[in-house]
Structure formats: C-alpha cells, structure tokens
Amino acid sequence: MTVRLFFSAFLIATCFFMAGPQVGHAQEFDTEVILRNLAQPTGIHLDLHGNLYFSEVPSPGVGGSGNRVSRFVNQRKIVISAGEPDPQNISSDVLGNVYWTCRSANVILRRTNFGRGTKSAVLTNLKNPLGIDLPLLFPGSIVFTEVPTPGVNGSNGGTNRVVLAAKLLNSYFQFPLSSGEPEPSDVAVGLDGTVYWTCKTAGVILMRSPAGVISLVEGDLENPTGLDIDFFGRLYWTEIPTPGVSGANGGRNRVVRYSPSTDQTTVVNFGDPEPQDITVSPLGDQIFWTCKSAGVIVRAKKSAR
C-alpha cells in the first residue's frame, strides 16, 4: 500500500509540473475491444493503480438479478458485488476503496481494499443517485448527482441536483452545488476542485468553480452522458443521440475529448452503438468506455502513426 500511495503522489506532482497549454493538433486514436460478452455494461472507472472497474445492469431495478460490479486487472475479471438492483457509476479513492451509486436503492455503496474488503452503504436515503466522483485532493469528499425527475428542470418542478458530501467525524454532511437542471447525468472533479457535470437533456456541460460560480463549458451537444477528467484538466465525455444505433446504420453517437486551455475538441470515436460511460488514465494516454448495447468495453490509445 505504501508503494501505491507513493506512486499516486508522484503522478500528481508530475502533473503539476507538466500542466500548461497543450498542443492544439488533433490526435488520432487506435481503439480495441478489451472485454466482450458483457451484460449491459454501464458505469466504468480506472483507478490510480491500474484497476478497471465497471458495472453491468441487465435488469435495472431488480434486486438479486445479474446486475454486478467487477474489477478487471491483469486480464482477469473479478466480481466484487452482485445482486444489487441498479449499480450505475463508479469511483474510488487513493486508498483503493471503491464507491458506486445504486440508483433505484437510493444509496452510495463502498467496498474497501480494491473490492476485496467490507461492503457498506456510506450514503442512504438519496433520490436516484447517478453520477459520482471522489475529488483526488479533497479526501473524505464525494460529489454525486441525483436525478429523481429526469428531463424536468427546476422551474417545472424538477428536483435534480449536484451534491457535495463531506465527511466529518465519521458522518457525511451534504451541500448542494447546483439544482434545477433537467438531467445532470455524470460528474467529474478537477485537481483544483472545479466540478463539472453533463446535463443530458439540456445538451450541455456545466462547471462550478471553487468560488461557487456556475458557468457553461460546452453547449449544443447531443445527449452528453458519461464524463471524466485527466490531470491536465482535459474533459472526456460520451454523447448518445441514437442509443443502440451504430454509425453504419446512421447512428451519431461519439466519444469526445475537450481541452479548455486551447478550446480544442477532438472526436476520439464515432459510430459505436451506445458509448455509455467513460474513464481516462491520469495523463490522458488511455481512454476507456462501456458500449452498453454491444456488451463490450473499448480502449482508445494515442496512435503511434
């Protein structure tokens, strides 16, 4: 564990020295399927130690079914939790504790020791929790979204929100960061504490600065859903305007990278039938996403060409 923590700290320090304006040339990516024959893979998360976690939700809302959360490492898939009614998005902390939202059960669950330890509910009585991220440099905090009224904004009675849960003396205290958006789907937190989230039906990505100012990052998107961020502050997301329809059949789904420092958008992949959630390595050299209807997980790497 000491070696892992040292390596994590080294990565963070390296990125602070390397961070700065990035070259604005478009990158080509090589993609490959790394896992097949999955049952509706949904959430996905790559931790700092190289463990890839993902959820499968073939029976949303049905407890005791084939829904599960797994860890993929060294070409081995290991189930770390099974039978929950609706495990959705996943995150982790630097100590190897794994967290995920269980939407229909209205809880956030945690399993310690890279999914080998004790499982417990850390937050309960939520309202359809969906997106989740654990701020790397703010231990004891969980940022998540709740979507009890998908597609309904606050002026029409919607109660969706983005929430910060901060731990103090073994208890979590919740602070709303934003409310009233029609469908805040996923959330990602930058190293400086800036919180970003996709708003699916509004077709936007929003951000809240550490000073509490909410502003638009990107607009005119088509059902932006999954979201992640690398150590350089580059955002990665999925858009699913045509779920289940491949590019060969007219689908317009895509995986995108956006660099705020250069205002450059790069399409990483176009034409997968349903790229649901996305995760990225700390330096952005590997991108993974679940393709829900195809039952696969795809990896993209920068092309050597």
Side-chain angles (χ1 to χ4, degrees):
M1 182 65 73
T2 301
V3 173
R4 289 192 177 108
L5 289 175
F6 175 81
F7 178 68
S8 300
F10 173 77
L11 276 178
I12 296 168
T14 299
C15 287
F16 276 124
F17 282 112
M18 293 176 63
Q22 302 299 302
V23 176
H25 298 99
Q27 292 282 345
E28 295 294 329
F29 293 87
D30 293 326
T31 61
E32 63 172 328
V33 174
I34 62 168
L35 275 170
R36 302 178 184 272
N37 302 317
L38 303 178
Q40 300 286 304
T42 303
I44 192 168
H45 170 69
L46 180 71
D47 74 7
L48 289 174
H49 313 285
N51 299 286
L52 188 66
Y53 298 92
F54 61 93
S55 62
E56 295 174 86
V57 195
S59 305
V62 181
S65 61
N67 306 324
R68 55 189 177 177
V69 178
S70 299
R71 178 166 65 106
F72 182 66
V73 63
N74 297 327
Q75 301 303 310
R76 293 180 59 219
K77 184 175 77 169
I78 304 160
V79 176
I80 67 170
S81 181
E84 279 131 32
D86 206 355
Q88 288 286 320
N89 291 326
I90 308 168
S91 190
S92 67
D93 60 26
V94 296
L95 299 177
N97 301 308
V98 187
Y99 297 72
W100 63 92
T101 53
C102 195
R103 184 167 53 181
S104 60
N106 294 317
V107 299
I108 290 177
L109 299 173
R110 176 185 65 194
R111 188 150 194 181
T112 60
N113 192 22
F114 303 96
R116 297 186 294 259
T118 304
K119 185 170 74 171
S120 60
V122 294
L123 290 172
T124 60
N125 300 315
L126 304 179
K127 297 180 179 179
N128 283 31
L130 185 55
I132 184 171
D133 196 21
L134 271 69
L136 186 63
L137 299 183
F138 301 88
S141 300
I142 305 171
V143 179
F144 61 95
T145 67
E146 292 179 287
V147 194
T149 55
V152 183
N153 61 28
S155 60
N156 291 305
T159 55
N160 310 308
R161 60 182 192 158
V162 182
V163 182
L164 166 67
K167 190 174 184 180
L168 180 64
L169 300 177
N170 294 319
S171 296
Y172 282 96
F173 296 87
Q174 296 184 31
F175 305 92
L177 301 179
S178 177
S179 58
E181 277 113 34
E183 197 168 359
S185 300
D186 201 5
V187 64
V189 185
L191 289 179
D192 64 350
T194 300
V195 179
Y196 303 84
W197 61 93
T198 50
C199 196
K200 189 173 181 178
T201 52
V204 299
I205 294 175
L206 300 172
M207 61 175 277
R208 177 179 166 128
S209 72
V213 178
I214 296 175
S215 58
L216 178 70
V217 178
E218 284 285 275
D220 299 318
L221 305 178
E222 295 190 290
N223 282 22
T225 304
L227 182 68
D228 202 7
I229 189 169
D230 67 18
F231 280 1
F232 296 112
R234 294 175 296 199
L235 295 170
Y236 303 74
W237 70 82
T238 62
E239 292 179 65
I240 321 173
T242 54
V245 182
S246 68
N249 292 305
R252 304 190 310 277
N253 310 310
R254 63 180 191 162
V255 177
V256 179
R257 184 186 72 186
Y258 172 68
S259 176
S261 65
T262 60
D263 195 31
Q264 177 196 344
T265 301
T266 302
V267 177
V268 176
N269 180 269
F270 183 89
D272 277 3
E274 198 167 357
Q276 184 72 23
D277 194 19
I278 190 167
T279 188
V280 63
S281 61
L283 301 183
D285 53 341
Q286 294 191 82
I287 308 162
F288 302 82
W289 62 91
T290 51
C291 196
K292 190 172 181 178
S293 55
V296 301
I297 290 175
V298 183
R299 176 176 63 191
K301 301 173 71 173
K302 291 181 182 178
S303 174
R305 297 189 296 273

